[in-house]
Amino acid sequence: MADLPLPPGVDAQRLAEARRAFESALGSDKVFFEELDRETYTDKFAVDDALHHPSGAIAPTTVDEVQAVMRIANQYRIPIWPISRGKNLGYGGNAPELTGSVVMDLSRMKKIEFDEQMGTVVVEPGVGFYDLYDYIKANKLPYWISTPGNSWGSVMGNALDRGVGYTPYGEHTKKICGMEVVLPDGDLVRTGMGAFSDAPTWQAYAYGFGPSWDQMFCQSNFGVVTKMGLWLMPEPESLMGMDVEFDSPDDLKAMVDTIGPLRREGILQQSPSIGNWLRAAAVLTTRGEWTDKPGALSDDVISAIRKRFNIGWWGVSLRLYGREEVNKASYKVLEKAINDISPMSIKPTSWVKGEPLEHTGWTGTPMTFPMQNVNWYGGRGGHIGFSPIIPQDGSKALAQFKRTYERYKEYGMDYQGSFAFGERHLTNVNAMIFDKDDPKMMKGIDPFFRRLVADAAEHGYGEYRTHLDYMDLVAKTYDFNDHAMRRLNEKVKNALDPNGILAPGKSGIWPTNLSGEREA
């Protein structure tokens, strides 16, 4: 039997007392402290399986129960790590940052409240993308959701971690409008217009009066979000667009410099994502079909894979949404702009309301097939993501790609990368796919990741989210005025959570009493 992981400063007796208090407040069927339970709440894609083990888990189903949990945690000084559905694979999954924490699993909280007139929804943490999609279909509501590349996670959790989708509503955190939050001391607050009792405008206006707090609860450990308002996209009259392939790695510059202005101008309102050949190929084949040689794939093997599946070195899907006549006019502008940079191929697509709909991320359809990429090497596959924010500039994007690609080759890894467009920025998502049954490969992942963080930091680029292992490392790169932002975050943390019991270490934010746990 494995040793019981304990939080710093907590002995087994105090943890047992806290467990009994949780059982009294929630019922024993919502409290999980057996060895198998603890194994359930570990990171299945962990680079180091010895890290981030919980002491147990609890599963409250109401706001009152969440409040009770926080009061008990304060009484016994037990760190709590809340998760929505625990599907944040590649970033830590359902495991806690601090070993010995009790995971608070909110996946059983699944209420949905929909305002059909305004196109807003209030969801609880356990509502997944499939749940919301099915709800909309079952109730014949004229709205589309926006889904990430792997859609089995929580709608709320994805927005809180600033996840993205592919429609005009793809920057999910920007569509948050109002939250209900349990603070670390168990108090309950509603943000924005929700601070006004029975306000009919809670999901209509995000800011309320005075400071606006919605973004303060994103990627933070300042409170447990139990309800979130979101805006949804009205079902468009039509959709038009194209799937485009480009032949050369150097084409990235022209792609960024062409798509970027169209995005900023508003011709493209979606969130396009340029992906390299492996993003497409890794769900169609596996590495073992092509070579058994170690190290990064050669250009000859890459060319053979691309030829079989007729894919470019880079590919991007571009979509226009809205009134059909407007889309037709915009498509002419888009088509000319793309043809001017000599693509390898263009595959047009169009849809009008009433016709059968393509079931893709571009239409807000939940999907999970992209996770097949973890089978690329064979064995127990996994991945972590390295995702710096870079300027929306073709030359800088190409330079970032070339630096990163050389590092992949240096560490003997196959490169899977993408460049996702915001309105003014690019998110350079690099997937480190690995085989957990290959000890040599796994030994290299940590130094490889740290090297990429250092490379990006040298050019002023920081990650927008990261795996549990690297939260302190990434927070450290945000170093203006001797890490003034980290100091500010921790002042707020200590004010709201003086006992340091809520998600200590999340995003590199440590309470004073646990500051010794920060990675040096």
Side-chain angles (χ1 to χ4, degrees):
M1 180 179 291
D3 292 338
L4 175 64
L6 292 170
V10 176
D11 59 23
Q13 179 179 345
R14 196 201 308 174
L15 182 64
E17 291 172 357
R19 173 182 176 174
R20 288 192 290 272
F22 289 138
E23 289 174 341
S24 177
L26 307 179
S28 60
D29 61 330
K30 299 177 184 178
V31 179
F32 317 104
F33 276 77
E34 301 304 320
E35 186 173 354
L36 180 59
D37 299 327
R38 291 192 290 272
E39 177 63 26
T40 299
Y41 291 94
T42 55
D43 180 11
K44 304 308 181 291
F45 288 179
V47 176
D48 185 345
D49 287 323
L51 302 177
H52 310 299
H53 286 242
S55 58
I58 50 180
T61 56
T62 67
V63 175
D64 288 344
E65 289 181 349
V66 173
Q67 291 180 278
V69 165
M70 299 314 298
R71 293 179 183 123
I72 292 167
N74 275 288
Q75 179 182 351
Y76 292 97
R77 304 295 194 267
I78 303 297
I80 299 294
W81 183 266
I83 61 171
S84 299
R85 287 175 53 83
K87 303 297 185 182
N88 201 13
L89 300 178
Y91 294 101
N94 55 7
E97 163 69 15
L98 181 67
T99 290
S101 299
V102 173
V103 173
M104 181 159 62
D105 184 345
L106 303 174
S107 63
R108 300 182 184 187
M109 298 178 67
K110 298 178 73 71
K111 291 179 182 176
I112 298 172
E113 302 171 39
F114 205 102
D115 184 329
E116 182 176 353
Q117 179 184 356
M118 298 305 297
T120 63
V121 65
V122 178
V123 294
E124 290 189 332
V127 176
F129 288 96
Y130 284 96
D131 297 323
L132 184 54
Y133 180 84
D134 289 345
Y135 181 95
I136 289 171
K137 293 298 181 184
N139 290 280
K140 297 181 171 57
L141 298 169
Y143 292 93
W144 287 4
I145 65 173
S146 172
T147 62
N150 287 291
S151 310
W152 47 20
S154 161
V155 175
M156 176 191 292
N158 183 269
L160 287 174
D161 215 32
R162 304 198 179 105
V164 296
Y166 306 101
T167 74
Y169 280 46
E171 293 186 79
H172 298 158
T173 191
K174 287 187 175 181
K175 301 305 176 184
I176 295 172
C177 190
M179 296 179 180
E180 178 183 85
V181 184
V182 176
L183 298 180
D185 63 359
D187 199 5
L188 186 67
V189 64
R190 287 185 172 180
T191 65
M193 298 306 294
F196 192 102
S197 296
D198 301 319
T201 52
W202 189 18
Q203 274 68 63
Y205 181 70
Y207 309 110
F209 178 73
S212 179
W213 275 80
D214 280 359
Q215 288 299 315
M216 291 292 287
F217 294 112
C218 292
Q219 289 193 4
S220 80
N221 48 13
F222 300 154
V224 181
V225 183
T226 51
K227 287 184 173 63
M228 174 186 286
L230 287 163
W231 293 353
L232 297 187
M233 185 176 81
E235 181 182 36
E237 178 182 284
S238 77
L239 178 149
M240 296 183 70
M242 57 181 69
D243 299 324
V244 192
E245 304 287 338
F246 287 82
D247 191 48
S248 167
D250 288 340
D251 287 332
L252 178 64
K253 179 183 184 304
M255 295 172 76
V256 170
D257 286 340
T258 299
I259 296 170
L262 295 174
R263 180 75 171 90
R264 295 192 291 275
E265 184 183 346
I267 297 293
L268 284 171
Q269 296 185 3
Q270 58 156 160
S271 301
S273 177
I274 299 171
N276 85 312
W277 66 270
L278 185 55
R279 186 173 73 172
V283 300
L284 301 171
T285 186
T286 58
R287 194 181 202 273
E289 293 186 49
W290 301 92
T291 184
D292 58 2
K293 294 180 180 179
L297 287 177
S298 68
D299 289 341
D300 288 345
V301 174
I302 293 172
S303 294
I305 296 172
R306 288 182 51 209
K307 182 177 180 180
R308 179 194 287 186
F309 297 108
N310 193 29
I311 52 180
W313 218 100
W314 300 107
V316 65
S317 294
L318 305 170
R319 297 292 186 270
L320 304 165
Y321 301 78
R323 301 297 176 97
E324 185 176 13
E325 291 305 311
V326 175
N327 282 345
K328 286 179 177 178
S330 296
Y331 186 86
K332 293 178 182 178
V333 176
L334 176 63
E335 184 177 42
K336 181 182 185 306
I338 296 300
N339 275 318
D340 283 349
I341 55 174
S342 304
M344 185 178 97
S345 66
I346 294 179
K347 180 182 177 182
T349 184
S350 64
W351 168 85
V352 177
K353 188 183 293 189
E355 296 178 350
L357 186 66
E358 66 175 42
H359 294 299
T360 66
W362 316 115
T363 61
T365 306
M367 54 188 173
T368 53
F369 75 87
M371 190 54 73
Q372 289 177 228
N373 69 351
V374 300
N375 296 323
W376 175 246
Y377 284 105
R380 289 182 300 144
H383 72 81
I384 58 174
F386 168 69
S387 307
I389 300 296
I390 70 171
Q392 206 174 86
D393 175 277
S395 295
K396 292 177 180 177
L398 184 61
Q400 170 68 10
F401 155 68
K402 288 184 174 181
R403 277 191 302 272
T404 305
Y405 194 26
E406 288 305 311
R407 291 297 187 194
Y408 270 76
K409 293 177 181 178
E410 177 185 343
Y411 285 87
M413 304 294 290
D414 296 334
Y415 173 77
Q416 179 180 321
S418 62
F419 293 81
F421 286 78
E423 289 189 57
R424 295 292 188 278
H425 72 276
L426 292 170
T427 304
N428 175 213
V429 180
N430 302 280
M432 294 182 187
I433 305 171
F434 48 72
D435 172 9
K436 286 175 64 69
D437 293 323
D438 184 336
K440 183 179 179 181
M441 178 184 289
M442 295 308 298
K443 186 177 180 180
I445 296 297
D446 182 73
F448 178 28
F449 193 98
R450 292 176 183 276
R451 183 67 262 171
L452 290 180
V453 171
D455 287 348
E458 287 176 9
H459 292 83
Y461 306 154
E463 278 206 281
Y464 87 106
R465 70 201 285 203
T466 197
H467 186 274
L468 297 173
D469 287 356
Y470 304 107
M471 287 186 170
D472 288 341
L473 175 69
V474 170
K476 191 175 181 180
T477 65
Y478 285 76
D479 60 356
F480 171 77
N481 190 21
D482 192 24
H483 305 93
M485 180 55 69
R486 187 173 68 187
R487 296 199 309 274
L488 174 59
N489 286 335
E490 292 182 350
K491 287 177 183 176
V492 175
K493 177 64 175 172
N494 289 322
L496 294 176
D497 186 11
N499 293 323
I501 52 90
L502 182 58
K506 170 71 175 177
S507 297
I509 304 169
W510 290 95
T512 297
N513 64 322
L514 290 170
S515 60
E517 300 297 321
R518 175 184 287 121
E519 178 182 285

